[in-house]
Amino acid sequence: MPHYRPMTDLATHDVTNQPPPLVDYNLFSTDRALVDAVRREGNEEAVQKASAYGAVLGTSEILQAGDDANRYPPEFMPFDRYGQRIDEVRFHPSYHQLMALGMAHGQQSVAWTTPSAGHVTHAALEFLLHQVDAGVCCPLSMTYAVVPALRHNPQLAALWEPKLLSGHYDPAFVPVERKTGATMGMAMTEKQGGSDVRANSTRAEPIDGKDGCYELVGHKWFCSAPMSDAFLTLAYAPDGLTCFFVPRWTPDGARNRLFIQRLKDKLGNKANASAEIEYHGAWAQRVGEEGHGVRTIIEMVHHTRLDTTVGAASLMRRALVEALHHATHRRVFQKALIDQPVMQNVLADLAIESQAATLLAMRLARAFDESASDPDAGAFARLAVAVGKYWLNKRVSPLIFEAMEVHGGVGYVEETPMPRLYREAPLNSIWEGSGNVIALDALRTAVKTPDSLVVLMDELDRARGGDKRFDAALDRLGNRLAKGMPEESQARRLVEDMAVLLEGSLMVQFAPAAAADGFCASRLGGDWGQSFGTLPGGLDMAAIIDHAHP
């Protein structure tokens, strides 16, 4: 995305048939599916906030910042020039620019500071920034998600919530009392355990005379955002696995004994630092009761799972927009690429997938808003966010690959955003529970809290009568569930069926007729091939593409 005027008088050839840079457009207002979903699931204030954010994020300057933050990844500085151990991570200025922008617009705070539709607003903002750079969304997401878990320790919450929700980004590495804003990280997994957090070996010893205070000793294989001001972590206290709050500075103003071992060299998500860390007698405060660590930290995980679902939908949208833009401006065989019938099939298929993901993500966000006062909404959110996280993250990688192929060879070149999007695609599926973990979580939720399954089926039933193919698929699911929950080996299949029906219910009710018809014919009616671009004939593909076009 150059800031200069390209040369047009090359000695060997004229540069023609090349799309202009896709910059200086509003990421929100040009996304009709998102605008309608945010207005329907949220309110007009959410639309206004998202529109203001989308206008800034779509500028050439900010899109370039997202690219730069990934091209110049963070560096670990274990020592200063004098040989003193400092354990700091240095970031490119673009990372700080994006973090400041996100916090100023309330991406991490609006869910807790807005009287209504706070989670929908948060999800919309997350959806937009994730298109620019997913890396900065990690600390913003954890800062958003930690609030309900932190409230298990009212004293901690009273001190830290004002900093976490302040709207000010303050990267200074100083005690929180001296900062205008703060961010949170998380350190749960260990080498021997991974998703099996009960296999943790980190130990917590109570500090004599200091109620609720402990010293931690152990190693964490993955610590997200190690320059955060504090972390939630798990360790074994005398009465069992417990959740702890570990600040980077102790109450007496000393650097806490938390040491970064190295930064992870990840496939993607380059702007965000992820680290291995060790606790050598690190000072910590208990959050929740001893032995209830998973129950406490799962409240943070529940909210970050919403963001990993939104993130997948966001990446789909950015990839689709890039493909549509390229196909609009590229001519092949004397015709615009977007007007070639086989390409129209590909683009319409991608547009259907992206729209269904967007609608599902925003519907989940509304369930989070309603959970505070409606037990049924809480039950729906617990099951549906697992279902949504699983499915959208299974669909995002193949969608981005197909969008990359729309570009031809240039899509494989690092100067375009496509390789970065493709490397980013697997992350949200792995973070906060990979596919098997999420599918089994959904299965257990349906068994342990049958109300969640009842509410889910009620949600699906709202679309009954809108399309006969949807009705038939819903009947098949109902008949299957009437026989009892499947064995664990079939967990993925059940979650997939639930997810596609959830998307279908929203498409039937709220998508334009052409897109709803395409979704039901292919995803539910079985008239579909094994890859994108295999929609059946007879669909209004031009209308589907037009609705998705920025």
PDB file of all heavy atoms in Angstrom, residues 282-301:
ATOM      1  N   ALA A 282       7.555 -15.929  42.135  1.00  0.00           N
ATOM      2  CA  ALA A 282       6.791 -14.742  41.722  1.00  0.00           C
ATOM      3  C   ALA A 282       5.663 -14.469  42.711  1.00  0.00           C
ATOM      4  O   ALA A 282       4.960 -15.380  43.157  1.00  0.00           O
ATOM      5  CB  ALA A 282       6.225 -14.948  40.328  1.00  0.00           C
ATOM      6  N   TRP A 283       5.482 -13.205  43.051  1.00  0.00           N
ATOM      7  CA  TRP A 283       4.424 -12.784  43.972  1.00  0.00           C
ATOM      8  C   TRP A 283       3.082 -12.815  43.244  1.00  0.00           C
ATOM      9  O   TRP A 283       2.959 -12.347  42.112  1.00  0.00           O
ATOM     10  CB  TRP A 283       4.714 -11.379  44.481  1.00  0.00           C
ATOM     11  CG  TRP A 283       3.754 -10.894  45.532  1.00  0.00           C
ATOM     12  CD1 TRP A 283       3.848 -11.060  46.881  1.00  0.00           C
ATOM     13  CD2 TRP A 283       2.552 -10.136  45.314  1.00  0.00           C
ATOM     14  NE1 TRP A 283       2.781 -10.479  47.520  1.00  0.00           N
ATOM     15  CE2 TRP A 283       1.970  -9.908  46.587  1.00  0.00           C
ATOM     16  CE3 TRP A 283       1.909  -9.660  44.178  1.00  0.00           C
ATOM     17  CZ2 TRP A 283       0.788  -9.193  46.739  1.00  0.00           C
ATOM     18  CZ3 TRP A 283       0.715  -8.954  44.326  1.00  0.00           C
ATOM     19  CH2 TRP A 283       0.171  -8.723  45.595  1.00  0.00           C
ATOM     20  N   ALA A 284       2.078 -13.381  43.886  1.00  0.00           N
ATOM     21  CA  ALA A 284       0.768 -13.518  43.249  1.00  0.00           C
ATOM     22  C   ALA A 284      -0.336 -13.385  44.283  1.00  0.00           C
ATOM     23  O   ALA A 284      -0.132 -13.633  45.473  1.00  0.00           O
ATOM     24  CB  ALA A 284       0.666 -14.872  42.550  1.00  0.00           C
ATOM     25  N   GLN A 285      -1.505 -13.016  43.805  1.00  0.00           N
ATOM     26  CA  GLN A 285      -2.702 -12.963  44.640  1.00  0.00           C
ATOM     27  C   GLN A 285      -3.732 -13.955  44.123  1.00  0.00           C
ATOM     28  O   GLN A 285      -3.911 -14.107  42.901  1.00  0.00           O
ATOM     29  CB  GLN A 285      -3.303 -11.552  44.643  1.00  0.00           C
ATOM     30  CG  GLN A 285      -2.499 -10.541  45.452  1.00  0.00           C
ATOM     31  CD  GLN A 285      -3.131  -9.166  45.404  1.00  0.00           C
ATOM     32  OE1 GLN A 285      -2.886  -8.395  44.471  1.00  0.00           O
ATOM     33  NE2 GLN A 285      -3.942  -8.862  46.398  1.00  0.00           N
ATOM     34  N   ARG A 286      -4.398 -14.597  45.055  1.00  0.00           N
ATOM     35  CA  ARG A 286      -5.402 -15.566  44.672  1.00  0.00           C
ATOM     36  C   ARG A 286      -6.647 -14.868  44.125  1.00  0.00           C
ATOM     37  O   ARG A 286      -7.083 -13.847  44.649  1.00  0.00           O
ATOM     38  CB  ARG A 286      -5.788 -16.415  45.882  1.00  0.00           C
ATOM     39  CG  ARG A 286      -6.667 -17.621  45.530  1.00  0.00           C
ATOM     40  CD  ARG A 286      -7.052 -18.419  46.755  1.00  0.00           C
ATOM     41  NE  ARG A 286      -8.019 -17.704  47.586  1.00  0.00           N
ATOM     42  CZ  ARG A 286      -7.775 -17.265  48.811  1.00  0.00           C
ATOM     43  NH1 ARG A 286      -6.591 -17.464  49.373  1.00  0.00           N
ATOM     44  NH2 ARG A 286      -8.715 -16.629  49.490  1.00  0.00           N
ATOM     45  N   VAL A 287      -7.223 -15.428  43.058  1.00  0.00           N
ATOM     46  CA  VAL A 287      -8.486 -14.957  42.495  1.00  0.00           C
ATOM     47  C   VAL A 287      -9.474 -16.109  42.606  1.00  0.00           C
ATOM     48  O   VAL A 287      -9.297 -17.152  41.983  1.00  0.00           O
ATOM     49  CB  VAL A 287      -8.332 -14.530  41.021  1.00  0.00           C
ATOM     50  CG1 VAL A 287      -9.658 -14.010  40.474  1.00  0.00           C
ATOM     51  CG2 VAL A 287      -7.240 -13.470  40.883  1.00  0.00           C
ATOM     52  N   GLY A 288     -10.482 -15.957  43.410  1.00  0.00           N
ATOM     53  CA  GLY A 288     -11.393 -17.059  43.669  1.00  0.00           C
ATOM     54  C   GLY A 288     -10.844 -17.971  44.762  1.00  0.00           C
ATOM     55  O   GLY A 288      -9.811 -17.700  45.367  1.00  0.00           O
ATOM     56  N   GLU A 289     -11.535 -19.057  44.994  1.00  0.00           N
ATOM     57  CA  GLU A 289     -11.158 -19.962  46.076  1.00  0.00           C
ATOM     58  C   GLU A 289     -10.074 -20.936  45.634  1.00  0.00           C
ATOM     59  O   GLU A 289      -9.955 -21.258  44.446  1.00  0.00           O
ATOM     60  CB  GLU A 289     -12.386 -20.749  46.543  1.00  0.00           C
ATOM     61  CG  GLU A 289     -13.522 -19.889  47.067  1.00  0.00           C
ATOM     62  CD  GLU A 289     -14.732 -20.722  47.433  1.00  0.00           C
ATOM     63  OE1 GLU A 289     -14.544 -21.892  47.845  1.00  0.00           O
ATOM     64  OE2 GLU A 289     -15.851 -20.224  47.302  1.00  0.00           O
ATOM     65  N   GLU A 290      -9.297 -21.411  46.604  1.00  0.00           N
ATOM     66  CA  GLU A 290      -8.334 -22.466  46.308  1.00  0.00           C
ATOM     67  C   GLU A 290      -9.076 -23.698  45.790  1.00  0.00           C
ATOM     68  O   GLU A 290     -10.135 -24.072  46.294  1.00  0.00           O
ATOM     69  CB  GLU A 290      -7.527 -22.845  47.558  1.00  0.00           C
ATOM     70  CG  GLU A 290      -6.327 -21.962  47.803  1.00  0.00           C
ATOM     71  CD  GLU A 290      -5.343 -22.594  48.790  1.00  0.00           C
ATOM     72  OE1 GLU A 290      -5.434 -23.812  49.038  1.00  0.00           O
ATOM     73  OE2 GLU A 290      -4.483 -21.850  49.310  1.00  0.00           O
ATOM     74  N   GLY A 291      -8.483 -24.328  44.784  1.00  0.00           N
ATOM     75  CA  GLY A 291      -9.080 -25.526  44.215  1.00  0.00           C
ATOM     76  C   GLY A 291     -10.136 -25.269  43.164  1.00  0.00           C
ATOM     77  O   GLY A 291     -10.628 -26.203  42.540  1.00  0.00           O
ATOM     78  N   HIS A 292     -10.511 -24.000  42.957  1.00  0.00           N
ATOM     79  CA  HIS A 292     -11.536 -23.646  41.975  1.00  0.00           C
ATOM     80  C   HIS A 292     -10.928 -22.859  40.814  1.00  0.00           C
ATOM     81  O   HIS A 292     -11.581 -21.985  40.240  1.00  0.00           O
ATOM     82  CB  HIS A 292     -12.651 -22.827  42.627  1.00  0.00           C
ATOM     83  CG  HIS A 292     -13.445 -23.613  43.626  1.00  0.00           C
ATOM     84  ND1 HIS A 292     -14.421 -23.037  44.426  1.00  0.00           N
ATOM     85  CD2 HIS A 292     -13.422 -24.924  43.965  1.00  0.00           C
ATOM     86  CE1 HIS A 292     -14.947 -23.952  45.212  1.00  0.00           C
ATOM     87  NE2 HIS A 292     -14.353 -25.117  44.948  1.00  0.00           N
ATOM     88  N   GLY A 293      -9.679 -23.160  40.471  1.00  0.00           N
ATOM     89  CA  GLY A 293      -8.977 -22.372  39.469  1.00  0.00           C
ATOM     90  C   GLY A 293      -9.597 -22.420  38.091  1.00  0.00           C
ATOM     91  O   GLY A 293      -9.773 -21.384  37.438  1.00  0.00           O
ATOM     92  N   VAL A 294      -9.962 -23.614  37.643  1.00  0.00           N
ATOM     93  CA  VAL A 294     -10.556 -23.732  36.310  1.00  0.00           C
ATOM     94  C   VAL A 294     -11.901 -23.026  36.268  1.00  0.00           C
ATOM     95  O   VAL A 294     -12.218 -22.306  35.312  1.00  0.00           O
ATOM     96  CB  VAL A 294     -10.696 -25.213  35.911  1.00  0.00           C
ATOM     97  CG1 VAL A 294     -11.453 -25.340  34.594  1.00  0.00           C
ATOM     98  CG2 VAL A 294      -9.321 -25.865  35.794  1.00  0.00           C
ATOM     99  N   ARG A 295     -12.700 -23.198  37.303  1.00  0.00           N
ATOM    100  CA  ARG A 295     -14.011 -22.546  37.357  1.00  0.00           C
ATOM    101  C   ARG A 295     -13.871 -21.023  37.309  1.00  0.00           C
ATOM    102  O   ARG A 295     -14.711 -20.326  36.730  1.00  0.00           O
ATOM    103  CB  ARG A 295     -14.734 -22.953  38.644  1.00  0.00           C
ATOM    104  CG  ARG A 295     -16.163 -22.431  38.741  1.00  0.00           C
ATOM    105  CD  ARG A 295     -16.750 -22.719  40.116  1.00  0.00           C
ATOM    106  NE  ARG A 295     -16.645 -24.131  40.468  1.00  0.00           N
ATOM    107  CZ  ARG A 295     -16.966 -24.603  41.664  1.00  0.00           C
ATOM    108  NH1 ARG A 295     -17.406 -23.776  42.620  1.00  0.00           N
ATOM    109  NH2 ARG A 295     -16.846 -25.893  41.916  1.00  0.00           N
ATOM    110  N   THR A 296     -12.810 -20.500  37.912  1.00  0.00           N
ATOM    111  CA  THR A 296     -12.612 -19.050  37.930  1.00  0.00           C
ATOM    112  C   THR A 296     -12.111 -18.537  36.589  1.00  0.00           C
ATOM    113  O   THR A 296     -12.667 -17.595  36.010  1.00  0.00           O
ATOM    114  CB  THR A 296     -11.622 -18.672  39.035  1.00  0.00           C
ATOM    115  OG1 THR A 296     -12.121 -19.130  40.287  1.00  0.00           O
ATOM    116  CG2 THR A 296     -11.427 -17.160  39.093  1.00  0.00           C
ATOM    117  N   ILE A 297     -11.066 -19.163  36.072  1.00  0.00           N
ATOM    118  CA  ILE A 297     -10.449 -18.642  34.849  1.00  0.00           C
ATOM    119  C   ILE A 297     -11.299 -18.916  33.620  1.00  0.00           C
ATOM    120  O   ILE A 297     -11.160 -18.245  32.600  1.00  0.00           O
ATOM    121  CB  ILE A 297      -9.018 -19.211  34.679  1.00  0.00           C
ATOM    122  CG1 ILE A 297      -8.142 -18.222  33.878  1.00  0.00           C
ATOM    123  CG2 ILE A 297      -9.036 -20.592  34.037  1.00  0.00           C
ATOM    124  CD1 ILE A 297      -6.668 -18.545  33.920  1.00  0.00           C
ATOM    125  N   ILE A 298     -12.222 -19.885  33.713  1.00  0.00           N
ATOM    126  CA  ILE A 298     -13.063 -20.200  32.566  1.00  0.00           C
ATOM    127  C   ILE A 298     -13.957 -19.026  32.204  1.00  0.00           C
ATOM    128  O   ILE A 298     -14.408 -18.912  31.050  1.00  0.00           O
ATOM    129  CB  ILE A 298     -13.899 -21.475  32.816  1.00  0.00           C
ATOM    130  CG1 ILE A 298     -14.360 -22.090  31.484  1.00  0.00           C
ATOM    131  CG2 ILE A 298     -15.099 -21.184  33.712  1.00  0.00           C
ATOM    132  CD1 ILE A 298     -13.248 -22.646  30.647  1.00  0.00           C
ATOM    133  N   GLU A 299     -14.219 -18.134  33.153  1.00  0.00           N
ATOM    134  CA  GLU A 299     -15.019 -16.950  32.828  1.00  0.00           C
ATOM    135  C   GLU A 299     -14.261 -16.042  31.863  1.00  0.00           C
ATOM    136  O   GLU A 299     -14.860 -15.426  30.978  1.00  0.00           O
ATOM    137  CB  GLU A 299     -15.388 -16.196  34.105  1.00  0.00           C
ATOM    138  CG  GLU A 299     -16.322 -16.981  35.014  1.00  0.00           C
ATOM    139  CD  GLU A 299     -16.923 -16.112  36.099  1.00  0.00           C
ATOM    140  OE1 GLU A 299     -17.386 -14.995  35.780  1.00  0.00           O
ATOM    141  OE2 GLU A 299     -16.918 -16.530  37.264  1.00  0.00           O
ATOM    142  N   MET A 300     -12.942 -15.958  32.033  1.00  0.00           N
ATOM    143  CA  MET A 300     -12.124 -15.208  31.074  1.00  0.00           C
ATOM    144  C   MET A 300     -12.088 -15.943  29.740  1.00  0.00           C
ATOM    145  O   MET A 300     -12.240 -15.332  28.667  1.00  0.00           O
ATOM    146  CB  MET A 300     -10.714 -15.020  31.625  1.00  0.00           C
ATOM    147  CG  MET A 300      -9.798 -14.185  30.742  1.00  0.00           C
ATOM    148  SD  MET A 300      -8.182 -13.933  31.529  1.00  0.00           S
ATOM    149  CE  MET A 300      -7.409 -12.802  30.365  1.00  0.00           C
ATOM    150  N   VAL A 301     -11.916 -17.250  29.789  1.00  0.00           N
ATOM    151  CA  VAL A 301     -11.854 -18.048  28.571  1.00  0.00           C
ATOM    152  C   VAL A 301     -13.166 -17.957  27.792  1.00  0.00           C
ATOM    153  O   VAL A 301     -13.171 -17.882  26.550  1.00  0.00           O
ATOM    154  CB  VAL A 301     -11.522 -19.516  28.914  1.00  0.00           C
ATOM    155  CG1 VAL A 301     -11.647 -20.409  27.688  1.00  0.00           C
ATOM    156  CG2 VAL A 301     -10.121 -19.616  29.512  1.00  0.00           C
TER     157      VAL A 301
END
